Amino acid sequence: MDRDLFRYDEPYGRPQRKTNSFGWSIAILVLLGLAFAAWLGSFYIFGQPERPESYRILKKLHKVDPAKRFELTAAPAGEFLNAKQLYDRYNGMRPTELAKINAELARNYIRNYQQVRGLVPYVIGRFNIMEARELTPQDVFTTGMVALTTAVDQGELLLEHVYPADSHAVPLMKQTLAMGLELKLERTHDLSAVVHADRLPDGRTLITAMPLLYGSYTVTRGTGTFTLEPPADLNLAAGWPVFKDDARRAAQIHYDSYRERITPSGPGVQIAGLPPAAAPPPPENALIHVEPAVPVETPKVAAAPPEQLPPAVKATPTKGGKLAKDQKGVPAPVLSPPAASAGSRATANVATPAPAPASAVPVSSPGVQPAAAQPVTGEALASTAGGGSWKTYPPGRMPAGRLIATSDLGDVAERGLAGERVYLRGQFVVNFAEANRAVLRPKTRLTDSVLHFGSGASSTRIIVEFPAGYTPPPRGATVTRDEARPYEITEVRKQSDGQLNVFVREIMQ
């Protein structure tokens, strides 16, 4: 018998249930809404780390890198603005535009300037300290000191300069950052980036700046030096600026009374808020940025070899380069062996050259002693101002050596200079320039950058040191050096991240 024939007559048969399509539709819509909200929330949190809630969440997720200590030649590209330029830029902005700019400034600082659009604004000029106080956990920056200053040549601009440091350095900082002390910011030694700008009710502009070098400071008349440390954490919930309205008004009252005590009465008294009639006098005492001294290794003096006729220079091609232009068969002067490596080349005695045949023309004049120079190290990079003196040559008349391109610098970094002269040729773009030094990058073609052929060149940095009296090329200029006018390489260093730092000297007249 078929069992399904009487299946509906069974008293204990289970009734069939229908699927609740409406309920499942609601559940799916709710899950889609949650996924969309999580997607938008991730953009909100990761895209705006300057908001207190976003920063707190990112800190718990370990997605915020600690503040980075920059080097002077490896700092983010920026523009240096004096007090008047800062006032003109931020005072004319509307509230919404200023809020957008402030969010971008704080975001760039939190991200260690990894995704910067445009140039980073740096502060330069002379400022007088109105008041300095210790930072507390209730401030944006929790440890160190902050100084409220006024511009010497622009009374309508106030600057609060943050000095983050460990707690043990605070007592010395309190003694150093006294009222009336002048703060001097120069583009050759300081990198104080603007992290916030605020327009005050009285029409003045308040700028918050952070020194990205986190270096050492001292006063011109006094003893003691304190060193800054990058802040480990930020309390963004405290809000900007660091000096709130009440504290700023109290500091202004104290500073005004201080100025009345030290300013002599008479028709020559300067009115607050108005530009001075003449250039401000030099300060009696000023706070300056210093770098620790770098020890110089004393070179060994080599004895002069016996007089003998030196062999002629031979054109020997080498791997990865070609011989620089010189006169074939010209005897080179006999020099004492190098006492140190090329990267730390110091003073070396030059032996008297052997007499050459009458027909020979010497490549370089004998008896010239190279100028002493400090070793090029990462610590000395920020304090090396250049401007030394060494022998320069006419185009194509430098001593014989190996000529290489930027693509061969990797081999030099691995093997070293091995005591030989190595010259660099190529086309470069100036990224940074100051009194006697410039930082260049190899110039790549558009097709190479699109096809990623120039990835090795993008991680190469050329630090050029110029003799005294030379004017470095301006920033953004293109420099072309060939076999007749190359740079002399003194050292090539490769960092752990693959970055090549190439130290060269200008030796052409």
Side-chain angles (χ1 to χ4, degrees):
M1 172 183 271
D2 189 3
R3 296 182 179 181
D4 297 334
L5 182 61
F6 300 100
R7 65 181 185 275
Y8 297 106
D9 297 336
E10 295 181 3
Y12 300 103
R14 292 184 178 181
Q16 294 183 353
R17 296 181 180 180
K18 296 183 178 179
T19 303
N20 192 352
S21 302
F22 178 77
W24 280 109
S25 300
I26 296 297
I28 292 174
L29 291 177
V30 170
L31 293 176
L32 288 176
L34 292 176
F36 186 71
W39 180 64
L40 289 181
S42 63
F43 275 98
Y44 178 85
I45 294 173
F46 286 89
Q48 297 177 334
E50 71 280 1
R51 295 181 177 271
E53 301 83 4
S54 302
Y55 183 81
R56 186 163 50 250
I57 295 174
L58 292 176
K59 285 289 290 185
K60 291 182 179 179
L61 297 176
H62 303 285
K63 295 299 182 181
V64 177
D65 295 331
K68 179 181 178 181
R69 186 193 300 270
F70 288 91
E71 295 180 359
L72 186 63
T73 54
E79 52 184 340
F80 294 87
L81 306 175
N82 57 28
K84 186 179 184 305
Q85 293 170 332
L86 289 170
Y87 177 80
D88 294 340
R89 169 174 294 191
Y90 296 107
N91 190 71
M93 292 184 178
R94 297 181 179 180
T96 54
E97 184 181 5
L98 188 60
K100 181 180 178 181
I101 292 295
N102 284 330
E104 185 175 358
L105 292 174
R107 187 183 311 131
N108 291 337
Y109 176 75
I110 294 173
R111 291 176 174 174
N112 287 321
Y113 299 93
Q114 294 297 323
Q115 304 174 17
V116 180
R117 294 182 299 177
L119 300 176
V120 178
Y122 296 112
V123 183
I124 57 174
R126 295 169 57 188
F127 302 86
N128 288 327
I129 295 181
M130 300 170 57
E131 185 173 328
R133 68 172 180 85
E134 183 180 358
L135 294 170
T136 64
Q138 285 71 37
D139 295 314
V140 178
F141 306 96
T142 56
T143 57
M145 295 280 292
V146 58
L148 180 64
T149 67
T150 177
V152 173
D153 53 354
Q154 183 73 24
E156 296 181 344
L157 182 81
L158 300 180
L159 171 70
E160 54 179 16
H161 201 267
V162 184
Y163 297 93
D166 295 336
S167 57
H168 66 272
V170 172
L172 179 59
M173 297 172 70
K174 288 182 177 179
Q175 298 176 8
T176 306
L177 302 176
M179 181 181 295
L181 182 68
E182 178 165 302
L183 171 62
K184 192 174 183 181
L185 301 177
E186 299 178 346
R187 63 181 301 168
T188 55
H189 300 94
D190 301 280
L191 286 177
S192 295
V194 178
V195 294
H196 186 79
D198 198 4
R199 188 166 56 247
L200 304 179
D202 57 2
R204 294 184 296 177
T205 300
L206 177 61
I207 301 296
T208 306
M210 172 65 72
L212 301 184
L213 299 180
Y214 302 104
S216 301
Y217 289 83
T218 187
V219 291
T220 55
R221 292 187 178 183
T223 58
T225 301
F226 60 89
T227 303
L228 306 184
E229 296 293 337
D233 194 10
L234 301 179
N235 181 21
L236 297 179
W240 305 87
V242 180
F243 271 89
K244 301 300 187 288
D245 293 339
D246 297 339
R248 190 186 66 255
R249 294 192 192 98
Q252 185 69 55
I253 295 174
H254 295 162
Y255 184 69
D256 291 342
S257 61
Y258 166 79
R259 290 293 302 272
E260 290 177 0
R261 293 195 305 268
I262 66 172
T263 304
S265 59
V269 177
Q270 178 183 343
I271 302 176
L274 296 180
E284 296 183 358
N285 197 10
L287 182 72
I288 56 174
H289 176 255
V290 296
E291 288 295 333
V294 179
V296 180
E297 296 181 1
T298 305
K300 299 179 181 179
V301 180
E307 294 187 357
Q308 57 181 356
L309 198 64
V313 178
K314 297 181 180 181
T316 305
T318 56
K319 180 182 179 181
K322 58 181 180 179
L323 191 68
K325 283 189 175 181
D326 62 276
Q327 289 73 23
K328 271 192 175 182
V330 177
V334 179
L335 301 179
S336 59
S341 63
S344 58
R345 194 170 293 163
T347 307
N349 290 350
V350 180
T352 304
S359 59
V361 181
V363 177
S364 60
S365 57
V368 179
Q369 183 176 3
Q374 290 185 350
V376 182
T377 61
E379 292 76 16
L381 199 58
S383 59
T384 303
S389 58
W390 52 81
K391 184 170 180 60
T392 56
Y393 307 91
R397 302 281 294 179
M398 61 281 185
R402 183 161 61 100
L403 184 68
I404 66 172
T406 54
S407 58
D408 306 312
L409 290 172
D411 297 337
V412 178
E414 295 177 0
R415 299 196 309 264
L417 298 177
E420 64 175 339
R421 290 182 182 268
V422 181
Y423 299 110
L424 179 65
R425 63 176 175 86
Q427 196 171 29
F428 313 97
V429 178
V430 181
N431 277 11
F432 174 81
E434 56 180 16
N436 294 95
R437 184 175 52 192
V439 179
L440 317 180
R441 292 279 188 182
K443 186 175 183 181
T444 57
R445 295 177 298 177
L446 180 60
T447 55
D448 293 345
S449 60
V450 172
L451 298 176
H452 303 285
F453 292 155
S455 57
S458 62
S459 60
T460 303
R461 185 171 58 194
I462 315 295
I463 298 98
V464 187
E465 196 172 355
F466 295 89
Y470 275 59
T471 301
R475 179 182 174 184
T478 301
V479 179
T480 302
R481 308 309 290 256
D482 53 10
E483 60 272 9
R485 299 180 60 86
Y487 288 126
E488 181 183 6
I489 300 177
T490 59
E491 184 182 4
V492 180
R493 277 205 307 254
K494 188 174 183 180
Q495 299 179 359
S496 58
D497 57 354
Q499 170 79 36
L500 283 180
N501 293 326
V502 185
F503 299 88
V504 301
R505 295 194 305 180
E506 174 64 88
I507 59 170
M508 292 291 108
Q509 294 179 359

